[in-house]
Amino acid sequence: MKSMSRIEASKCRTTHLKLNRDYRQVQSTYRNLTSAVRRKQELVAAQMQDRENKEKCAREGAKSANQLQLNMRMQEEALDEQIMRERETEIRHINKSMHQVNEIFKDLAHLVDSQQTDIDKIEEQMENAHASAQSGLTQVEKANSHNSVMPENCIIS
């Protein structure tokens, strides 16, 4: 098996991180959609129950005002409970989104860190090249000054 170069390994890591992040986003979207469907089904069931209760009350006639008020309070409580569940679900969704943003920032930090070593190597090589060029220039200038002092000893081929 051929070993991967550093650049190929970095590309593989980056691709892996992106695929993981994308998978988590799709999975989160799926969960949110199934939760929304379940909430809507519960809401429809509550509406159907409300409709059945109203029809029952209409058939039986208003037995008592207290019974009607009690039914209305129960329906309001059920609606309030449903609203609280929806808010809780949305808060959880926001929390998951914040964790995803955190993961993205961690991925970016990893990428920057992995690239920093390459940049440091390039900088070091540039400094070495500059020092070598400076040394070469000094040697050429020295050779030139010696050549102008003793031109008969220098043979250029």
Side-chain angles (χ1 to χ4, degrees):
M1 186 168 128
K2 187 172 95 172
S3 64
M4 287 197 271
S5 71
R6 183 177 234 184
I7 295 170
E8 290 170 336
S10 176
K11 286 179 183 178
C12 286
R13 279 192 302 271
T14 304
T15 303
H16 178 70
L17 291 172
K18 183 183 181 319
L19 288 174
N20 266 342
R21 186 175 55 245
D22 291 347
Y23 173 74
R24 280 179 273 167
Q25 287 175 333
V26 169
Q27 189 177 33
S28 175
T29 302
Y30 172 75
R31 287 182 187 149
N32 291 337
L33 289 174
T34 55
S35 175
V37 167
R38 187 173 49 252
R39 282 192 316 260
K40 287 183 181 183
Q41 287 174 340
E42 290 172 356
L43 185 59
V44 167
Q47 288 173 347
M48 289 176 63
Q49 183 67 32
D50 182 42
R51 190 176 308 134
E52 289 172 5
N53 288 341
K54 285 180 183 178
E55 290 173 0
K56 184 178 178 182
C57 286
R59 283 192 307 262
E60 294 176 359
K63 290 184 179 177
S64 71
N66 289 337
Q67 183 66 27
L68 184 59
Q69 287 177 350
L70 182 62
N71 285 342
M72 288 180 66
R73 273 191 237 134
M74 287 174 53
Q75 290 171 1
E76 287 175 0
E77 288 176 7
L79 185 61
D80 289 343
E81 189 176 318
Q82 179 67 24
I83 290 171
M84 285 191 321
R85 273 191 250 131
E86 288 179 9
R87 286 181 182 168
E88 181 182 359
T89 302
E90 289 301 317
I91 288 171
R92 286 184 181 162
H93 174 69
I94 290 170
N95 190 16
K96 285 180 184 177
S97 297
M98 292 300 292
H99 283 292
Q100 288 175 344
V101 169
N102 185 20
E103 288 295 319
I104 290 170
F105 276 107
K106 285 180 182 178
D107 293 346
L108 287 174
H110 173 71
L111 290 173
V112 168
D113 186 48
S114 68
Q115 292 173 356
Q116 186 63 43
T117 56
D118 294 336
I119 291 172
D120 291 343
K121 285 180 182 177
I122 292 170
E123 182 180 16
E124 182 181 340
Q125 290 172 354
M126 286 177 53
E127 289 172 357
N128 290 341
H130 177 72
S132 296
Q134 196 68 27
S135 174
L137 178 63
T138 304
Q139 290 176 6
V140 168
E141 288 174 345
K142 189 176 178 181
N144 190 27
S145 68
H146 285 295
N147 191 20
S148 62
V149 173
M150 294 183 276
E152 63 276 349
N153 291 340
C154 184
I155 300 173
I156 299 177
S157 54

